[in-house]
């Protein structure tokens, strides 16, 4: 063992030891610090003994310089000044001699070594190995006293704290580098380790290096002893990179979770047992369960009882075969059922071992709704096709029907045979008997009609036929509906399930009600309300057409003379404004919906001004002067009474208006109820009074009338009578064939064809010669 003694005036004990070489101890004495440094550099001594004061350097600085030269050299300092002795110890001195007694102990130790006792040498060797181990450790190791002052550090600690050498840390406080947020924790651990001699940590905290950079560390501290003084020994692990990695992983996980939460679809991951391990917000939102409630819940537990077996099989299939797509109903915590399309896919680890499955659930409520809507639409299209066929068949037969009874028979039979209607009838309400009187019936269960009786004139009528007549709208009822209570028992006894009532109308005229009874709830689906409304109007138009035909062919009917004082009626207002009598000579409907009126007025002085006051009068022209009256032709958009009579199949024989009222003479078709006719007129106009009623006289004999009705079509007779009324047969002609064709809304050749066919049919009938069908033209019949 080589001991180098440094100092000009060593203590007597040290000087004696230096001058008296001991066996096994090689003692060299240097007179200067520079020589000592040379020995350290060149001879690698085992112990360096230095006595203070040293020439040009105090003991703490000397120790720091020695440590720069050799970290493992044992350094002993003889220092009587307590402050410098403490500073030398902090700087890294292995031993500080502060009294002769201590000097004696050192010499005794050297003597023991010299006499062959290897204990001290082993201790020094142990310390050397410890220093070498600490210095070579990649982990920062720091030794500090009870005040937190650093007594020893290795290079890894210096690197962590961004200083050049561990010697720069000796004597500094560990709290210089600990973030203030963790100071309290550090102080508590220092006290526990040194005072209570208890190990502490590992503890996470943040430090700030000499350069101001933050680092995250994990510190494990144990109690220890350095040169007889209790110290703490801290082993530090720099976890900054780990923390950053963890932060990145957390950020990545959160990013993935945010992305999954942004999905409208349900996302979930299960283990091999089908229990939830991860899910997105959509699953919580849809199911209504919290995260704690969903944790480890089996996915099958979220499904409806009816789907439990099915979804369990799907889970097994996915885990065994890799993937499966199925449908199931999720039942939320509140009991709401949500249909889902579920896609399941097995997942494996890096070794290829099965660890569970991932699933995606898509709400298919809208899809099912659309599917149902498409199905309903297809059914509706099928119903519409059936409806169109049925309506076409009915309309085709209506065209060929020659009278009202035939029209009603065709309609009822066609509907009762088409199904699902079992019973169809057309009738009207009889005010005298206060009951419905069916005119035409087809189908099964006619005896049910005996139950029909009530007061239709009240606002509380509930029978569908009553309501249809009162409101003018199609009515649907289920037999089980409370509003059907008066006829419910009788209807159910005949297995009727639904009833539909359709008013039969044409413009302002009402011809009764068509009522249908069905044995299924689909009865009201066969014909939709708008189609039924159009059907009712088609029937009304057909009935009106037969009435018009009867009106065009003068026949024995009922002639009514009526007075009207309604101030809103066109002719009453016109005569009132003129303050003169007005006589209607002729009215001709035009294709555009207007009417051409030829009237005679007694005074023309106010005619121009009055015509300008009437918005409904579009044009006027003076036709001719004759006697005291003036004939004027008016083009009118709204003639009220004249149009109403035409709509109701009545023929206007004469109309004379006076200031404040007008009187009309009109004939109704055969079989028309005169009182019902007048009541309908009263419902449309005010101040209606029936002045007289008689049977209308025919201008032709019965045989001639029958001949005409059998031989002429409506269009042929209309062409013939219009030509006659418009002066086509006069010389010179008042209107040409082209003019009359325009009035009828047909082409001139078509008008000529109708007129020629009418002439031929009449002549053939008169001359008793049968017509040749090959000569007929059915154009625009």
């Amino acid at each position: 063992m080589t001991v180098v003694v440094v100092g000009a005036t060593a203590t007597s004990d040290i000087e004696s030891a230096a001058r008296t070489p001991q066996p096994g101890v090689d003692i060299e004495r240097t007179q200067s610090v520079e020589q000592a440094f040379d020995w350290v550099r060149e001879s690698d001594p085992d112990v360096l003994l230095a006595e203070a004061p040293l020439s040009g350097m105090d003991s703490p600085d000397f120790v720091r310089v020695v440590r720069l030269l050799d970290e493992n050299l044992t350094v002993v300092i003889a220092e009587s000044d307590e402050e410098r002795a403490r500073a030398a110890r902090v700087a890294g001195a292995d031993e500080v001699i502060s009294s002769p007694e201590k000097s004696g102990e050192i010499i005794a130790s050297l003597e023991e070594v010299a006499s062959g006792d290897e204990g001290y040498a082993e201790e020094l060797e142990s310390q050397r190995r410890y220093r070498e181990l600490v210095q070579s450790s990649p982990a920062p190791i720091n030794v500090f006293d009870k005040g937190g002052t650093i007594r020893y550090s290795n290079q890894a600690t210096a690197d962590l704290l961004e200083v050049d050498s561990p010697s720069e840390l000796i004597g500094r406080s560990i709290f210089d580098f600990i973030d203030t947020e963790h100071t309290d924790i550090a102080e508590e651990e220092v006290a526990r380790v040194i005072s209570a001699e208890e190990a502490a940590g590992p503890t996470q905290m943040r430090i700030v290096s000499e350069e101001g950079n933050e680092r995250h560390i994990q510190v494990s501290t144990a109690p220890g002893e350095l040169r007889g003084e209790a110290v703490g020994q801290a082993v530090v692990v720099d976890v900054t990179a780990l923390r950053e990695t963890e932060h990145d992983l957390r950020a990545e996980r959160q990013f993935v979770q945010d992305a999954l939460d942004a999905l409208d679809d349900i996302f979930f991951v299960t283990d091999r047992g089908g229990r939830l391990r991860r899910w997105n917000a959509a699953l919580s939102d849809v199911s209504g369960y919290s995260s704690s409630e969903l944790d480890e819940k089996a996915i099958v537990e979220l499904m409806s009882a009816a789907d439990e077996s099915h979804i369990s099989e799907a889970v097994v299939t996915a885990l065994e075969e890799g993937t499966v797509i199925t449908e199931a109903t999720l039942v939320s915590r509140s009991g709401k059922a949500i249909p889902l399309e579920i896609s399941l896919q097995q997942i494996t680890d890096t070794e290829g071992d099965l660890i569970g499955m991932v699933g995606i659930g898509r709400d298919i409520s809208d899809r099912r709704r659309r599917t149902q809507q498409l199905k309903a639409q297809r059914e509706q299209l099928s119903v519409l096709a059936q409806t169109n066929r049925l309506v076409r068949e009915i309309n085709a037969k209506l065209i060929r029907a020659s009278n009202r009874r035939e029209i009603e028979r065709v309609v009822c039979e066609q509907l009762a045979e088409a199904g699902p209607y079992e019973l169809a009838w057309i009738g009207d309400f009889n005010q005298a008997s206060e009951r419905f009187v069916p005119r035409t019936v087809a189908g099964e269960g006619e005896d049910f009609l005996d139950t029909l009786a009530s007061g239709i004139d009240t606002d509380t009528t509930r029978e569908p036929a009553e309501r249809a007549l009162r409101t003018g709208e199609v009515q649907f009822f289920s037999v089980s509906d409370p509003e059907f209570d008066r006829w419910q028992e009788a209807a159910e006894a005949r297995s009727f399930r639904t009833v539909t009532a359709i008013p039969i109308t044409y413009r302002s005229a009402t011809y009764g009600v068509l009522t249908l009874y069905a044995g299924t709830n689909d009865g009201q689906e066969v014909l939709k309300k708008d189609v039924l409304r159009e059907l009712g109007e088609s029937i009304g138009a057909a009935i009106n057409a037969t009435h018009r035909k009867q009106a065009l062919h003068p026949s024995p009917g009922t002639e009514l003379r009526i007075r009207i004082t309604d101030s809103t009626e066109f002719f009453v207002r016109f005569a009132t404004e003129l303050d003169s009598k007005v006589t209607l000579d002729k009215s001709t409907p035009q294709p555009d919906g207007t009417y051409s009126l030829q009237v005679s007025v007694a005074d023309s002085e106010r005619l121009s001004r009055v015509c300008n006051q009437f918005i409904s009068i579009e044009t006027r022209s003076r036709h001719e002067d004759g006697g005291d009256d003036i004939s004027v032709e008016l083009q009118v958009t709204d003639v009220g009474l004249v149009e109403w009579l035409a709509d109701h199949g009545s023929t206007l024989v004469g109309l004379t208006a006076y200031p404040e009222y007008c009187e009309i003479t009109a004939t109704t078709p055969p079989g028309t109820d005169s009182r019902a006719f007048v009541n309908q007129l009263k419902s449309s106009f005010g101040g209606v009074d029936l002045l007289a009623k008689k049977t209308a006289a025919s201008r032709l004999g019965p045989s001639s009338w029958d001949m005409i009705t059998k031989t002429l079509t409506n269009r042929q007779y209309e062409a013939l009578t219009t030509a006659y009324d418009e002066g086509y047969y006069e010389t010179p002609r008042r209107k040409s064939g082209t003019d009359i064709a325009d009035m009828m809304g047909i082409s001139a050749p078509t008008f000529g064809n109708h007129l020629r066919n009418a002439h031929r049919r009449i002549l053939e009938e008169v001359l008793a010669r049968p017509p040749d069908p090959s000569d007929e033209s059915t154009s625009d019949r």
Side-chain angles (χ1 to χ4, degrees), residues 738-760:
T738 302
D739 294 335
I740 298 173
D742 290 340
M743 293 176 62
M744 295 178 63
I746 59 178
S747 66
T750 300
F751 165 73
N753 192 32
H754 286 326
L755 199 58
R756 285 191 299 273
N757 286 334
H759 293 163
R760 188 179 71 250

Side-chain angles (χ1 to χ4, degrees), residues 1-7 10 14-22 24-32 35-40 42-51 110:
M1 179 179 65
T2 300
V3 179
V4 176
V5 180
V6 183
I14 294 176
E15 184 179 359
S16 174
R19 291 178 179 177
T20 308
Q22 305 294 326
V25 178
D26 182 14
I27 297 178
E28 297 292 338
R29 178 163 184 146
T30 65
Q31 297 298 320
S32 68
Q35 288 179 335
F37 288 166
D38 290 340
W39 269 97
V40 171
E42 298 171 4
S43 303
D44 189 21
D46 297 302
V47 180
L48 185 62
L49 296 177
E51 181 184 12
L110 293 176

Side-chain angles (χ1 to χ4, degrees), residues 569-571 573-574 582 584 586-599 610-611 614-621 632-643:
E569 203 285 319
F570 173 80
F571 289 99
R573 288 191 299 122
F574 193 57
V582 176
L584 176 63
K586 184 177 62 176
S587 66
T588 306
Q590 305 298 304
D592 60 0
T594 64
Y595 271 77
S596 175
L597 304 180
Q598 186 172 333
V599 299
V610 171
C611 287
F614 279 69
I615 299 176
S616 59
I617 298 178
E618 292 187 341
T619 61
R620 69 180 185 277
S621 60
V632 179
E633 187 170 351
L634 305 175
Q635 197 76 15
V636 183
T637 59
D638 182 10
V639 289
L641 181 61
V642 172
E643 187 172 7

